[in-house]
């Protein structure tokens, strides 16, 4: 005796998952967005379609996407570009004088006084902090500050004297720490 029974097998297609690749500056975050599935599982433990990451070095993230118990995997690479390392000179000046501030380490610069040069000349009347932002050729930006310390001009006092011809007098100056007289 023979019996025949039929069974149908449904073949579900594997999901076609897509995910963006990203480039980010060090210290910043970027979103990775996967699509093409109904469920997701990322290598960092997240189960959403998109994740926000802030890697400190180049990393590859894997996402599994599932539909009808069929799962596909895809990877996303995040390239991390370094921030420029800025170096700046500071200055100490006397009131009324100017100082030159010089910065290096980036491709373009923007100072708090709106200058775009790597060297700026400033004449502050009081101690002032200047900020400069420097951008690399890859578009990453770092910020640095520099102080220009302003020392006040000494307030000299020298009394006027009246003496008789042939007499001598002692002149006493006040208000500074060192003195240079016109007599040498």
């Amino acid at each position: 005796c023979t019996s025949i029974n039929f069974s149908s097998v449904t073949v579900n297609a594997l999901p076609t998952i897509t995910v963006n690749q990203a480039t980010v500056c060090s210290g910043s975050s970027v979103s990775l967005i996967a699509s093409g599935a109904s469920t997701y599982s990322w290598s960092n433990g997240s189960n959403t379609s998109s994740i926000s990451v802030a890697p400190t070095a180049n990393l590859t993230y894997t996402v599994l996407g599932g539909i009808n118990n069929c799962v596909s995997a895809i990877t996303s690479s995040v390239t991390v570009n370094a921030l420029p390392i800025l170096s700046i000179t500071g200055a100490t000046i006397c009131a009324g004088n100017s100082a030159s501030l010089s910065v290096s380490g980036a491709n373009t610069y923007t100072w708090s006084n709106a200058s775009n040069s790597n060297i700026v000349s400033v004449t502050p009347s009081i101690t002032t902090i200047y900020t400069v932002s420097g951008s690399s050729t890859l578009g990453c930006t770092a910020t640095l500050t520099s102080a220009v310390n302003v020392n006040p001009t000494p307030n000299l006092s020298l009394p006027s004297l009246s003496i008789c011809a042939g007499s001598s007098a002692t002149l006493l100056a006040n208000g500074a720490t060192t003195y240079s007289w016109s007599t040498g």
Side-chain angles (χ1 to χ4, degrees):
C1 295
T2 302
S3 177
I4 298 175
N5 193 359
F6 292 96
S7 177
S8 64
V9 175
T10 303
V11 178
N12 295 320
L14 292 174
T16 303
I17 310 298
T18 60
V19 66
N20 60 309
Q21 309 299 310
T23 299
V24 66
C25 295
S26 181
S28 297
S29 62
V30 66
S31 292
L32 301 179
I33 303 169
S35 62
S38 57
T39 61
Y40 300 92
S41 178
W42 291 85
S43 54
N44 71 348
S46 178
N47 292 316
T48 59
S49 62
S50 66
I51 60 173
S52 181
V53 295
T56 57
N58 295 347
L59 280 180
T60 300
Y61 295 87
T62 301
V63 60
L64 302 175
I67 296 178
N68 298 324
N69 295 321
C70 296
V71 177
S72 292
I74 192 169
T75 60
S76 175
S77 298
V78 177
T79 302
V80 179
N81 292 327
L83 298 178
I85 300 172
L86 301 179
S87 175
I88 193 171
T89 59
T92 298
I93 61 172
C94 293
N97 292 341
S98 62
S100 288
L101 299 177
S102 174
V103 65
S104 62
N107 188 48
T108 60
Y109 304 97
T110 303
W111 290 86
S112 53
N113 66 356
S115 174
N116 293 320
S117 175
N118 67 319
I119 300 173
V120 294
S121 181
V122 294
T123 311
S125 57
I126 60 171
T127 296
T128 304
I129 295 176
Y130 294 89
T131 303
V132 62
S133 295
S135 296
S136 69
T137 56
L138 299 174
C140 295
T141 301
T143 302
L144 194 61
T145 59
S146 179
V148 175
N149 298 305
V150 179
N151 292 327
T153 303
N155 188 12
L156 293 178
S157 65
L158 183 62
S160 298
L161 297 176
S162 285
I163 62 170
C164 296
S167 299
S168 65
T170 300
L171 298 177
L172 179 62
N174 291 305
T177 54
T178 60
Y179 301 90
S180 177
W181 291 88
S182 58
T183 59

